[in-house]
Amino acid sequence: MSHLFLTAVGGDPNETVQLSQDTDLTVGDEDVLVAVDAAPINPADLLFQLGWFGVYPQVPNALGAEGTGRVLQAGSAADANLVGRRVIILPTFVQGTWADKVVVPARNVIAVTENADPLQLAMLPVNPATAYALLTDYADLKPGDWIGLNLANSGVGQYVIALAKRRGIKTLAVVRREEAAKRVRELGADVVLVEGADLGDRVAAALGGSQLRLLFEGAGGSEQVGELIRSVEAGGSVVTFSAATGQSPVLPLGDLIYRGISLRAFFILNWIRDTPRAELERIYTELAELVAEGAISATVEATYPLSRYREALAHAGQQERSGKVLFAPQQTA
């Protein structure tokens, strides 16, 4: 088995990430052995390597949070019907999906459709599920309601826009540059604005008297939140799902006290832990079918074999990529 693992927390990934040939593929009673077809490199993976994520590495730590592949073997207490099935691997930051084969507890895989692009399925466990939860768990959104989001060209943003559009929910999207705005408009956002001067006034004018039921905040930084929150309805919520700048969002005191706007947060590992298994299977099955239909997707910029991991990690760390970077472990160099 070839797999990437972390040897030390922090520092240069060229020194702390290594490729290993490990022959230990012992499948426990409740485990499955999966041949990995694709596994994304997410910002969370890079933060994990630095020790800046919600889970701290226990070095040596296998790398890679999510992915897809085919079950080759099932333990005696696992579902034998999984053998031969396409599955997605749920993120734990323990088992490591940046590998050609990986042993995973059966509870951490979910069988999905065969009729979808494996690259898109590999990205299913984190970003589409995050978008789904943002749109369902924080308000009873109805067709015609408005939601706002910054970091709108991110993976989560792309899925939020697509899922909202299917439900008739209107999206006001904020991005950092005009190049990203063009892409977000193509995705179907109802209003797309580039951050900058008079953002709050431009948002209010674009909404034409309507207000945002929710604001999904992924950029961090109090100044932009202060501008956008002016158009959030009284009693609404700002839901933070990322922190691209490393800053914590802060609500203006008047909005917090006088208008009753709350600051809430979403973390995918907590959501997976707290959602009943049957519900997880229903949601991921539904999302996989949407992938198969072409209704939801994320742009893929590049794929790499494991042997080119240094190049892949450097590419994934670039700030102005146009799409996702994934490992394709079965791909030859």
Side-chain angles (χ1 to χ4, degrees):
M1 177 186 76
S2 298
H3 75 282
L4 292 168
F5 69 100
L6 188 68
T7 62
V9 180
D12 185 350
N14 287 324
E15 299 176 358
T16 61
V17 177
Q18 293 186 13
L19 180 64
S20 172
Q21 303 295 327
D22 189 346
T23 58
D24 183 12
L25 288 173
T26 302
V27 179
D29 292 346
E30 298 182 351
D31 297 336
V32 292
L33 174 64
V34 180
V36 179
D37 290 318
I41 304 173
N42 291 319
D45 294 304
L46 305 180
L47 292 175
F48 177 75
Q49 295 168 33
L50 297 172
W52 296 347
F53 192 59
V55 178
Y56 197 81
Q58 303 299 312
V59 293
N61 204 123
L63 291 172
E66 62 177 340
T68 188
R70 196 169 300 281
V71 175
L72 302 177
Q73 181 182 343
S76 60
D79 183 1
N81 292 323
L82 287 172
V83 176
R85 293 291 306 277
R86 163 77 59 194
V87 296
I88 56 170
I89 303 171
L90 303 182
T92 64
F93 291 86
V94 175
Q95 61 247 346
T97 57
W98 296 353
D100 57 1
K101 296 183 181 69
V102 62
V103 175
V104 185
R107 66 180 179 276
N108 290 336
V109 303
I110 293 177
V112 293
T113 178
E114 299 281 348
N115 302 318
D117 179 359
L119 296 179
Q120 295 296 329
L121 290 176
M123 298 182 283
L124 202 66
V126 175
N127 287 341
T130 296
Y132 179 94
L134 290 176
L135 290 168
T136 58
D137 291 2
Y138 296 92
D140 184 17
L141 296 173
K142 300 288 195 302
D145 285 346
W146 281 93
I147 58 98
L149 69 154
N150 58 20
L151 212 65
N153 59 318
S154 67
V156 171
Q158 293 180 49
Y159 291 113
V160 165
I161 292 166
L163 292 174
K165 191 175 183 67
R166 288 180 61 85
R167 293 176 51 186
I169 299 165
K170 296 183 177 181
T171 53
L172 181 140
V174 177
V175 296
R176 295 177 179 175
R177 58 191 192 280
E178 185 56 43
E179 295 84 355
K182 179 181 178 182
R183 170 60 177 152
V184 172
R185 291 187 186 100
E186 292 171 350
L187 291 171
D190 294 279
V191 173
V192 184
L193 300 174
V194 179
E195 65 181 25
D198 303 319
L199 178 60
D201 292 337
R202 288 186 284 133
V203 168
L207 290 175
S210 297
Q211 290 190 300
L212 305 173
R213 299 287 316 280
L214 295 169
L215 172 62
F216 302 140
E217 205 290 309
S222 302
E223 183 176 350
Q224 188 180 106
V225 172
E227 290 289 306
L228 295 174
I229 202 171
R230 290 162 47 188
S231 291
V232 176
E233 68 180 13
S237 294
V238 176
V239 185
T240 183
F241 65 90
S242 179
T245 64
Q247 301 178 47
S248 298
V250 177
L251 303 192
L253 190 61
D255 295 294
L256 182 67
I257 294 178
Y258 304 126
R259 298 209 298 130
I261 294 178
S262 59
L263 177 62
R264 306 170 74 180
F266 177 86
F267 184 40
I268 186 66
L269 300 193
N270 290 348
W271 181 80
I272 290 173
R273 179 197 65 200
D274 297 338
T275 303
R277 174 70 185 194
E279 185 70 358
L280 283 179
E281 291 181 354
R282 183 193 66 79
I283 291 169
Y284 279 117
T285 297
E286 178 181 325
L287 291 172
E289 291 296 339
L290 291 177
V291 168
E293 295 170 13
I296 61 172
S297 64
T299 304
V300 174
E301 184 164 305
T303 61
Y304 292 87
L306 295 173
S307 60
R308 293 172 58 192
Y309 67 92
R310 288 191 176 93
E311 186 180 350
L313 293 175
H315 190 168
Q318 294 175 7
Q319 292 299 310
E320 295 188 359
R321 288 180 288 104
S322 61
K324 299 287 287 186
V325 177
L326 298 91
F327 285 113
Q330 310 305 324
Q331 176 180 318
T332 57

